[in-house]
């Protein structure tokens, strides 16, 4: 069951919301339990075989949490180490076993048979979410937590499949505060509008770009213009796919009455790679910084170790996305970009003269180009396919003006670029309505669009939703669901 499906929009979501508010009127704690059951049903809908794995992870980590907070100080570190090792071992088994076997076979010429493993959807997200919880518990940053609240935190259906990777401070206080439970006209209106905006990003933009992207990565030696347009299209397809899912998750949760954090903030408007990672998949960036980069030493032990820590963090961040060398290369490229950026900033700090005004726009273009090149490895099925596309971009496969037969994809490429670079994002549109966004800064946009619960916005939202319904029969799975 995906967000952009008839079964979710017209069956699961209405039943879940109605049941939550009906039960809430009689027993607030049972209402939380209802959300737990709905979340487990939603997760099991993908494949019932995933459900025991998720439940085992939740029960194990909650019991370890209890041991950590109740044990004597000398034993707490041992329990934490054991818990992290077991979590990572389970993640590696399900996600990377066959990758390691294939790599050994390729390097040593072996014939080790692959394992028949079911990869639980969203395992990276719920594993990292719970590891961060355990680490914070070790440092006494977590208070005693109710079991139902913890299960809901680990399995909450808006983010269980494709994130974001939530911090306990963002959700557990909301789940524990039963006084906030209850229907609100503003929450329903704002949540519905955000959900529809996200649905449009997915169905109307991302899915229509596939006709431009897929032929380029099919291994048919794409030529110059086709390769460039194909990689550009994938850059926007991935953004609107994941950004659309994040908006839908925020909208669905808002309807119920809970607020998920912002996970995207116009990343293609970034001025450098560090800025990009503060805007793209913000929750993952925060996790990598707080639970990997800083524990490795961060920038506390000199420039060389800082560059080492950046590379290690991004290489592991790339491998987190998938069991393929293409993701490792993608992460390595971003690690290299970050090292170059910090090295350049260090050199410029020694300059007495201020930078030229022309430099204001150039870094944004250079950043987007670097990110786009890295996306080539992120999308390709293997390294050879990625190199084939890059060869086409360099003109090594020839030059041709023959494109795909579907012109809708190319029209949508222009539309998506205009939206990503010049229009306000969803966060900015709802900034002025929602006090939760107060004090947050956003990028410059060509237009200033401010959502209000008005007839004008209601009609616009309804028309967009109608277009989405007409396109729903040909929707595809979310790209990030595989991670």
């Amino acid at each position: 069951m995906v967000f952009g499906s008839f079964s979710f929009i017209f069956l699961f979501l209405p039943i879940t919301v109605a049941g939550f508010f009906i039960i809430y009127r009689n027993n607030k704690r049972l209402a939380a339990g209802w959300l737990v059951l709905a979340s487990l049903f939603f997760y099991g809908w993908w494949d019932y075989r995933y459900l025991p794995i998720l439940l085992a992870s939740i029960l194990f980590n909650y019991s370890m949490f209890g041991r950590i907070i109740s044990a004597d100080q000398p034993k707490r570190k041992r329990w934490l180490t054991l818990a992290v090792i077991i979590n990572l071992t389970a993640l590696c088994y399900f996600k990377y076993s066959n990758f390691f076997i294939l790599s050994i076979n390729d390097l040593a010429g072996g014939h080790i048979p692959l394992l028949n493993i079911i990869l639980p959807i969203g395992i990276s997200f719920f594993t990292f979410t719970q590891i961060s919880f355990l680490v914070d518990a070790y440092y006494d940053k977590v208070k005693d937590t109710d079991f139902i609240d913890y299960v809901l935190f680990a399995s909450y259906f808006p983010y269980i499949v494709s994130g974001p990777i939530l911090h306990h401070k963002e959700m557990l206080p909301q789940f524990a505060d039963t006084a906030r439970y209850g229907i609100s006209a503003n929450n329903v209106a704002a949540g519905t509008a955000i959900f529809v905006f996200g649905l449009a990003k997915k169905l109307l933009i991302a899915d229509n770009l596939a006709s431009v992207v897929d032929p380029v990565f099919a291994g048919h030696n794409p030529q110059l213009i086709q390769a460039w347009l194909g990689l550009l299209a994938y850059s926007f397809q991935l953004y609107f796919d994941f950004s659309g899912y994040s908006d839908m998750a925020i909208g669905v949760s808002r309807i119920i009455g809970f607020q998920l954090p912002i996970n995207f903030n116009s990343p293609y408007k970034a001025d450098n790679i560090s800025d990009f990672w503060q805007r793209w998949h913000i929750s993952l960036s925060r996790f990598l910084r707080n639970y990997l980069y800083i524990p490795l030493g961060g920038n506390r032990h000199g420039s060389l170790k800082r560059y080492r820590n950046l590379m290690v963090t991004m290489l592991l961040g790339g491998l987190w996305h998938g069991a393929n060398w293409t993701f490792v290369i993608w992460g390595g490229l971003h690690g290299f970009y970050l090292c170059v950026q910090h090295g350049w900033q260090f050199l410029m700090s020694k300059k007495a003269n201020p930078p030229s005004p022309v430099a204001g726009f150039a870094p944004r273009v250079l950043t987007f180009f670097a990110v786009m090149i890295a996306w080539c490895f992120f999308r390709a099925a293997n390294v050879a396919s990625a190199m084939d596309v890059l060869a086409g971009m360099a003109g090594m496969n020839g030059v041709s003006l023959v494109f795909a037969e579907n012109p809708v994809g190319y029209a949508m490429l222009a539309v998506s670029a205009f939206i990503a670079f010049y229009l306000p994002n969803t966060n900015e549109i709802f900034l002025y309505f929602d006090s939760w966004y107060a004090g947050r800064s956003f990028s410059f946009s060509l237009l200033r669009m401010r959502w209000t619960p008005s007839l004008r916005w209601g009609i616009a939202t309804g028309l967009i939703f109608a277009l989405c319904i007409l396109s729903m029969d040909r929707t595809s799975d979310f790209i990030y669901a595989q991670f």
Side-chain angles (χ1 to χ4, degrees), residues 307-321:
Y307 297 148
R308 179 205 63 186
N309 295 337
L310 285 171
M311 284 298 301
V312 170
T313 299
M314 296 312 299
L315 284 170
L316 292 176
L319 188 61
W320 173 85
H321 280 84

Side-chain angles (χ1 to χ4, degrees), residues 125 162-167 170 239 242-243 246-247 250 260-267 274-291 320-321 425 427 436-437 440-443 480:
F125 290 103
S162 292
I165 302 172
L166 294 184
H167 194 270
E170 295 166 333
Y239 170 65
F242 198 11
S243 174
S246 295
D247 285 350
I250 289 174
L260 298 185
I262 296 172
N263 206 30
F264 284 88
N265 183 20
S266 297
S274 293
D275 189 22
F276 171 81
W277 278 103
Q278 292 171 7
R279 296 166 175 265
W280 171 273
H281 205 342
I282 297 171
S283 62
L284 175 62
S285 304
R286 178 184 60 191
F287 181 91
L288 293 175
R289 180 190 68 239
N290 293 344
Y291 300 101
W320 173 85
H321 280 84
N425 56 47
N427 312 320
W436 189 74
Y437 296 113
R440 298 172 183 268
S441 60
F442 297 99
S443 303
Y480 249 76

Side-chain angles (χ1 to χ4, degrees), residues 100-147:
F100 292 140
I101 291 173
L102 286 172
S103 298
I104 292 172
N105 287 343
D106 290 340
L107 291 174
H111 301 282
I112 303 174
L114 299 180
L115 303 178
N116 185 20
I117 296 176
I118 303 171
L119 177 61
I121 194 167
I123 186 172
S124 298
F125 290 103
F126 67 72
T127 299
F128 275 28
T129 294
Q130 294 185 95
I131 287 177
S132 65
F133 179 85
L134 293 176
V135 172
D136 285 349
Y138 172 77
Y139 288 107
D140 296 320
K141 297 179 181 179
V142 179
K143 297 180 180 179
D144 192 18
T145 302
D146 180 79
F147 177 68

